[in-house]
Amino acid sequence: MAEKVILAVDACGGDRAPDVVLEGVAQALAADPDLEVILCGLPSVVEGFAAGHERCHAQPTSQVIEMGEHPAEAVKEKADSSIVVGCKLVREGRAQGFFSAGSTGACLVSATLNIGRIKGVKRPALGIILPGVQKETLLLDVGANADVKLDYILQFAQMGCAYMTSVMGVENPKVGLLNIGEEEAKGSLFAQDAFHLLRDRLPQFAGNCEGGDLLNGDFDVVVTDGFTGNVALKTIEGTSKMLFKLLKGAFMSSAMSKLGAVLLKGSLMELKRKVSPDTYGGSPLLGINGVCMVGHGSSNATAVRNGILSGCREVRAHVGDAIAAVVDRKRQGDA
C-alpha cells in the first residue's frame, strides 16, 4: 500500500475550469486509491462533486482569483479565494500539497506567503520537466524570479539536484547553466560569475548548456533566471505545437501520406505524449514547506489528473525534506 496523500485542489483555476478540473480530479482519484482530495472552490462547484465521490471533501470558498488580476493584490484582497485557502490548508497541515491550474503569479505569491519557505531557502523556484533525446531534464527557474542573484542560482541548482534524486531517481545529477555558449567566458558578466560560482561550489556542475542542447538530455538539471527560463520554455512549447501542425498538414496532403499517417499513428501518438506538457501536468514550486504544483492555464482533464498525481509523487518522495537537508548542509558549511 502506498503512503496516503491529501492534496488540496483549486477547482476554479484554469481557462476551462471547473469542468476539466473536476474530471481530472475524478481520474486522479480512480488512479490512486491512497489519494484524498480537498476540493477548494465555490459551493456550487465543489459540494455536489464531493458528495458524489469518495475520498473527496469540499472546502467551499467565496472568491476566485481571475487570470488577469494582479497576483500580489489579488492574494491580499481575496483571502477566501480557492488559491489562498488551498495554500493555507497546507500550512495548517490539513493537506500535504496543493494543485492549481489558475493564475501562476497568484499561486507563487500565495504559496510563498501562506505555505512559507523552507528555512534557509532564499527564493522558491518554479521548475519544469523537459523531454529529451536521452533523458528528461529539469529546467528552473521558469517564472518565479525574473531577477536573481548569484546565490539564488546556486541554490536553484541544489534544490534541482534534490528533486531529481528524490522524485526522478537520478543519482548524482549533472547540472548545467543555461548560456549562449559552452565556454566559461561566454555570456554576460553575470553568467560568467554564475559559472565560476557553480564550478567552485557545486560538485555536480558539468558546465554551460546552450539553448539548442536543452532537449538533448546532456544534463539532468539546468538552471537560469526566471525570465530567461520562461522564454526558453514558451519557445519550446510554441515550436512543438508548430511542428505538429506542420506534420498534420503534411500527412493530410495526399492519399499516400494519409496512409503513412495511419501506419505511423501509434508512433506519432507516443511522440506527442512525450513532448506534451500534459504528461506531468504541472510545474513544481521548489523551496516551500510543502508541495505546490502549478498547472498550465490551458490544462485539460488529463493534465489536471497528471498534475495531481505528480504532486502525490512529490509528497511521497519527501522532496521538502531532501531540499531542507541539502540547504541546511550547505548553510552549515558556509557558517
Side-chain angles (χ1 to χ4, degrees):
M1 179 181 292
E3 177 184 348
K4 177 183 174 182
V5 173
I6 302 175
L7 282 189
V9 175
D10 173 14
C12 299
D15 298 338
R16 290 181 278 177
D19 293 346
V20 298
V21 177
L22 299 181
E23 184 180 347
V25 169
Q27 291 179 12
L29 288 168
D32 189 338
D34 298 299
L35 165 67
E36 289 189 17
V37 168
I38 301 178
L39 197 59
C40 306
L42 301 176
S44 60
V45 173
V46 303
E47 290 179 341
F49 181 89
H53 291 78
E54 293 185 2
R55 295 179 283 116
C56 184
H57 315 283
Q59 179 63 58
T61 67
S62 61
Q63 297 171 306
V64 175
I65 294 178
E66 304 294 343
M67 290 292 195
E69 294 187 70
H70 187 281
E73 293 178 1
V75 168
K76 181 179 179 181
E77 295 172 1
K78 293 186 172 181
D80 196 42
S81 62
S82 50
I83 288 177
V84 173
V85 170
C87 288
K88 287 182 177 179
L89 290 174
V90 179
R91 183 188 65 193
E92 295 166 0
R94 294 173 57 192
Q96 295 153 290
F98 174 64
F99 171 85
S100 175
S103 165
T104 298
C107 289
L108 300 180
V109 172
S110 183
T112 302
L113 293 177
N114 294 308
I115 299 177
R117 290 176 287 169
I118 292 170
K119 183 178 180 180
V121 170
K122 295 177 171 64
R123 291 290 190 278
L126 195 63
I128 190 74
I129 296 291
L130 299 176
V133 175
Q134 303 178 52
K135 56 186 177 182
E136 295 166 316
T137 298
L138 174 66
L139 174 64
L140 75 166
D141 183 21
V142 293
N145 306 275
D147 300 299
V148 299
K149 298 179 180 179
L150 287 174
D151 52 350
Y152 298 176
I153 292 289
L154 174 61
Q155 203 166 74
F156 293 170
Q158 294 166 350
M159 294 194 297
C161 287
Y163 179 91
M164 290 303 286
T165 299
S166 60
V167 177
M168 306 298 288
V170 179
E171 295 296 331
N172 196 30
K174 291 174 59 178
V175 177
L177 173 69
L178 191 59
N179 207 336
I180 61 172
E182 295 182 358
E183 301 83 4
E184 65 177 274
K186 287 287 188 177
S188 63
L189 292 176
F190 181 88
Q192 294 175 41
D193 289 342
F195 180 98
H196 296 143
L197 178 64
L198 292 171
R199 181 194 61 189
D200 296 342
R201 299 277 298 279
L202 192 76
Q204 301 95 326
F205 184 57
N208 285 329
C209 173
E210 295 186 79
D213 294 326
L214 267 175
L215 303 182
N216 283 342
D218 297 328
F219 299 93
D220 300 295
V221 179
V222 175
V223 293
T224 186
D225 62 89
F227 180 90
T228 304
N230 191 269
V231 171
L233 173 62
K234 296 297 175 59
T235 300
I236 291 170
E237 290 178 345
T239 301
S240 175
K241 290 178 181 178
M242 180 197 71
L243 287 176
F244 274 100
K245 286 181 179 179
L246 292 176
L247 276 173
K248 183 177 181 180
F251 279 124
M252 295 295 105
S253 61
S254 68
M256 187 65 70
S257 61
K258 289 179 181 178
L259 176 61
V262 172
L263 295 175
L264 290 171
K265 183 178 179 180
S267 298
L268 290 172
M269 291 300 293
E270 175 58 23
L271 175 62
K272 186 174 182 180
R273 184 204 65 78
K274 185 174 182 179
V275 302
S276 172
D278 297 346
T279 299
Y280 285 95
S283 299
L285 181 62
L286 304 183
I288 60 170
N289 281 308
V291 168
C292 179
M293 293 292 296
V294 183
H296 203 288
S298 60
S299 291
N300 56 25
T302 300
V304 172
R305 169 191 181 274
N306 291 340
I308 293 171
L309 296 179
S310 293
C312 291
R313 284 194 294 271
E314 274 197 55
V315 171
R316 292 179 177 131
H318 304 286
V319 177
D321 292 340
I323 291 174
V326 71
V327 169
D328 184 65
R329 189 162 61 246
K330 298 298 182 181
R331 191 164 52 89
Q332 294 295 334
D334 292 340

